[in-house]
Amino acid sequence: MTTDRMEELIQPTQPAVSYDEENIKTLEGVEHIRMRPGMYIGKLGDGSHPEDGIYVLLKEVIDNSIDEFRMNAGKRIEVTIDEHLRVSVRDYGRGIPQGKLIEAVSVLNTGGKYDSKAFHKSVGLNGVGVKAVNALSLRFEACSFREGRKRHVFFACGKLQDDTTEETDEENGTYIFFEPDNSLFKNYAFRDEYVENMLRNYTYLNNGLVIVYNGRRIASRNGLSDLLTDRMSATALYEIVHLKGEDIEIAFTHTDEHGEMYYSFVNGQHTIQGGTHQAAFKKHIAETIKTFSGKGFEYNDIRNGLVAAVAVNIEEPMFESQTKIKLGSLTTAPEGGVSIDKFIGDFVHEQVDNFLHRNPEVAEVILQKATSSERERKAMAGVAKLARERNKKATLHNPKLRDCHVHLNDAKGDLKEASSIFITEGLSASGSITKSRNVDTQAVFSLRGKPLNCFGLTKEIVYKNEEFSLLQSALNIEDGLDGLRYNKVIIATDADVDGMHIRLLMLTFFLQFFPELIKTGHVYILQTPLFRVRKKKGREYVTRYCYNDDERTSAIRELGPDPEITRFKGLGEISPDEFKYFIGEEMRLEPVDIHHHDKPNDLMQYYMGANTAERQQFIIDNLVIEEDHKEDFELEERV
């Protein structure tokens, strides 16, 4: 081949894109936020998940009102969400200085929190939060009430539309209204349960604060003790231990559940992913109890069943992302502060040790729990070792796991945050998902059939059962959630009776042995369409995927009479080309939640335990029978 021919082959097939001065653009702050919202609020979403962007917008506004409360300015915050769409927040603090009101809500890197005298130990320090709310809202209003004057500004998509000032007799404070831009947050809606959970967290951390949400009063008398009482789904083995110090508060107890559960906060901010303060608390609570016992307990045995909350106040906290869900600070202040580890360690060692000496009956329960956990761990040490060796051999060629590049390349940060694993059943279903998935962030774990009903079994079964053992290894949760490899664990089963049964068996597995995986919001159910409704228009098909009968009826009405309707009986029937739409950006996930009133152990006992006669009677009592077959059923029942 000639050199000229080689050069011809390697030439680009498309003309080069021009690159000159016109390609260099400068974006104003608001424009950049709208173009790259993920840099400021994480994922957008539609409000179906607690980490979706609309809740970040709400939090950014309320954070400012909380900072006012923490500066002893205003004890009441009123939050109203109209039709789950439009938000207003009114506090009774000092009010934003009116001469800088526009800049405070629209100009990046502008704010009063750079001045530590005006805002001591605040959570919002970077001058971005409310500006992002403004930029990402279809309509945004801010009112400042100060000394008988009211200044009101109105923005649309971050652009100033109106600015007025007048006299008023209203109390000092700030009013913010925003309506998220539905062109960004498509089909969004605020969920009461997520909003209320957020607001309750604020009241747990701020004694004396009252939040009125859509007319309902939310407050807390006992701080973190109330939090644990409200959130625990299992019975405490002893009364919650609640200890306070200057800039630190902790609460803890043990339950009979496996694993550990933590709620951590910095300056009133819920750090969902923990951070340096949570790691320090975990280490020192175990160390203190071990020293008190005088025995050689392992830390995991001491912490097994532990449910705890820790809150600290520090100066100028550093978080690992704009959404402030993980603390990165190493010291309590940028200059002259002590290390977070020492600050928490000193408090825990002194206060918890004193408590244990003064309350020997509680200490005895804690040591009994640690002894029981140690005994169980040693009893299955041999089988656990064999399982680990088996899993290690299977790691490179695990037939059940199709991993994603996030973990094959040991990626961290935003990519790991976006990672997920689908747990599905059967070769056809796992094959469709594997071919359709995003190989960078989505992994697939394939079950060979219906997994074992593990209710009432000991954790030894996790190691003896090859499937459960390999799943635990894939998730990397044997020693707790710190090593969890995927942010979302998604159960993907067929939308039929067998699929529902597999779903329940998997939920039983997690609830029985890894309840913290569910409690921390990592487990989801994949919603897949039941119907495909399509009709040919010209040469092309217009297609609608429907997740329920109502959506099917709407699709038929939209497309006109006699459309082609396909009922998907299983995931394996959905082609990879179609499946990619259901596990992409528009993926419908239903988070699995546990509340203290759910009593999961009672539910599992009823539905998964050995009470067949009770369940059979429940089915008979609640079965809906068509009239044509009612007599046949009654005759069959008599026989």
Side-chain angles (χ1 to χ4, degrees), residues 250-444:
I250 66 172
F252 65 90
T253 187
H254 281 81
T255 72
D256 271 333
E257 290 185 327
H258 288 89
E260 313 163 36
M261 185 66 202
Y262 299 95
Y263 303 91
S264 61
F265 302 84
V266 175
N267 296 6
Q269 168 67 37
H270 186 192
T271 42
I272 298 170
Q273 293 187 3
T276 52
H277 59 321
Q278 182 171 303
F281 174 79
K282 287 178 61 176
K283 180 180 77 171
H284 291 295
I285 189 74
E287 191 175 85
T288 301
I289 293 172
K290 179 177 180 177
T291 301
F292 172 85
S293 73
K295 299 181 180 180
F297 288 123
E298 290 193 6
Y299 285 178
N300 285 348
D301 294 330
I302 293 172
R303 294 196 301 251
N304 187 33
L306 180 67
V307 182
V310 55
V312 296
N313 295 321
I314 64 176
E315 293 183 13
E316 299 186 28
M318 297 296 295
F319 297 95
E320 293 192 4
S321 70
Q322 165 62 17
T323 51
K324 309 184 184 84
I325 56 177
K326 187 174 184 180
L327 181 67
S329 297
L330 297 177
T331 59
T332 58
E335 297 180 7
V338 300
S339 73
I340 296 287
D341 185 79
K342 177 174 171 51
F343 172 64
I344 293 176
D346 288 348
F347 176 81
V348 170
H349 282 290
E350 178 182 354
Q351 296 299 321
V352 173
D353 184 71
N354 287 345
F355 178 88
L356 295 175
H357 279 95
R358 293 169 184 163
N359 298 271
E361 69 287 351
V362 173
E364 180 62 23
V365 175
I366 293 175
L367 298 186
Q368 286 177 359
K369 173 65 176 177
T371 301
S372 174
S373 298
E374 180 184 57
R375 188 182 302 119
E376 181 183 6
R377 175 179 55 79
K378 289 182 176 179
M380 62 182 184
V383 69
K385 182 179 179 181
L386 291 174
R388 281 192 290 269
E389 291 173 355
R390 178 187 64 209
N391 295 347
K392 187 176 181 181
K393 292 177 183 178
T395 298
L396 294 177
H397 304 287
N398 187 342
K400 295 186 174 298
L401 178 65
R402 302 290 186 272
D403 214 344
C404 55
H405 292 168
V406 168
H407 299 298
L408 293 175
N409 300 327
D410 195 28
K412 294 179 174 63
D414 292 340
L415 269 179
K416 188 171 182 181
E417 181 72 15
S419 67
S420 59
I421 182 170
F422 295 99
I423 301 173
T424 190
E425 183 270 330
L427 294 176
S428 57
S430 62
S432 290
I433 294 181
T434 300
K435 292 175 182 177
S436 309
R437 65 179 174 140
N438 179 336
V439 295
D440 288 329
T441 59
Q442 294 177 330
V444 181

Side-chain angles (χ1 to χ4, degrees), residues 452 454 462 468-469 471-472 475 477 504-514 604:
L452 179 71
C454 60
V462 177
F468 286 158
S469 181
L471 177 57
Q472 176 185 252
L475 297 177
I477 53 177
L504 291 175
L505 290 168
M506 289 309 306
L507 290 177
T508 299
F509 169 70
F510 289 131
L511 285 169
Q512 180 81 4
F513 301 116
F514 305 101
M604 286 193 293

